[in-house]
Amino acid sequence: AIDLYAVPFRGDGEQLLLDAQVDLVLDYYPTSHPHIHSKLIFENHFTCVMPPSHPRAKDDMSLETFCTEEHLLVSLSGDPKGIVDSRLKEMNLSRRVAITVNSFSSAIHLLKQSNLMSVMPRSVVCGDIHAGTLIEKPLPLVVPPAPISIAWHKRSANSQALKWLINEVHTCLSE
């Protein structure tokens, strides 16, 4: 039998695996520990989204405009700075993050009822873009995609149940 539990994101997936607190981590996994196996599932590309009623919805998005608008940031850790802010800082620029939330579903809900914009993984918002409840604008800066991997400790490598789960997750998410 397999039990699935979602644990709060703290950015410590590797340590959770090493301490045998979890058997599997599905996340951006940038390191390569000798006791942990990982498998790339997909590249998470980012896009800028806003409600169709946003004042900039019909305009081209310049970098200057992007920086002057109010943003909603999904921050699982609560940090009001993300990859976009790091990229802007490299260019001596910044943006105003007006709201942070810790889930994509609440972010999408808030975004649809506001005049905010947000940079989110395209995979998270593609349904809303296709439904017309959010519009997409090309990012006016380069934000590299985040590789999303599945990782597990080598002590579990022979578990048939874990092998099955890894294969199922990989199949579902890599399509």
Side-chain angles (χ1 to χ4, degrees):
I2 295 176
D3 299 320
L4 294 175
Y5 301 98
V7 298
F9 177 81
R10 298 185 312 236
D12 63 346
E14 182 175 278
Q15 195 60 51
L16 292 172
L17 288 167
L18 292 171
D19 294 343
Q21 294 181 32
V22 298
D23 295 316
L24 195 67
V25 170
L26 181 65
D27 194 5
Y28 169 67
Y29 188 75
T31 61
S32 178
H33 192 282
H35 295 290
I36 297 181
H37 300 290
S38 67
K39 184 178 200 177
L40 177 67
I41 296 178
F42 63 93
E43 296 280 333
N44 221 356
H45 294 269
F46 296 96
T47 191
C48 182
V49 290
M50 64 190 74
S53 60
H54 192 283
R56 302 283 187 220
K58 293 181 174 41
D59 300 340
D60 290 335
M61 181 66 62
S62 70
L63 185 56
E64 181 181 353
T65 299
F66 179 83
C67 289
T68 60
E69 291 297 315
E70 293 187 332
H71 294 258
L72 182 151
L73 174 67
V74 177
S75 173
L76 302 178
S77 67
D79 185 354
K81 303 285 183 198
I83 183 69
V84 170
D85 303 287
S86 298
R87 296 289 296 138
L88 288 171
K89 186 176 181 180
E90 292 171 7
M91 297 182 278
N92 294 318
L93 297 170
S94 64
R95 65 178 176 159
R96 179 167 185 269
V97 174
I99 299 175
T100 64
V101 294
N102 65 358
S103 78
F104 288 108
S105 60
S106 59
I108 292 168
H109 179 74
L110 280 169
L111 199 58
K112 290 176 185 177
Q113 301 175 41
S114 73
N115 278 334
L116 300 170
M117 63 177 56
S118 185
V119 176
M120 293 193 199
R122 191 165 200 295
S123 60
V124 170
V125 293
C126 64
D128 290 284
I129 293 168
H130 292 303
T133 57
L134 291 177
I135 63 159
E136 175 179 33
K137 294 286 186 176
L139 282 173
L141 69 158
V142 175
V143 178
I148 302 300
S149 299
I150 191 165
W152 62 98
H153 196 282
K154 74 176 188 177
R155 72 175 155 265
S156 304
N158 292 326
S159 165
Q160 292 303 310
L162 190 61
K163 285 180 183 179
W164 173 84
L165 182 58
I166 290 166
N167 184 59
E168 291 298 306
V169 170
H170 185 266
T171 300
C172 288
L173 295 179
S174 62
E175 293 178 350

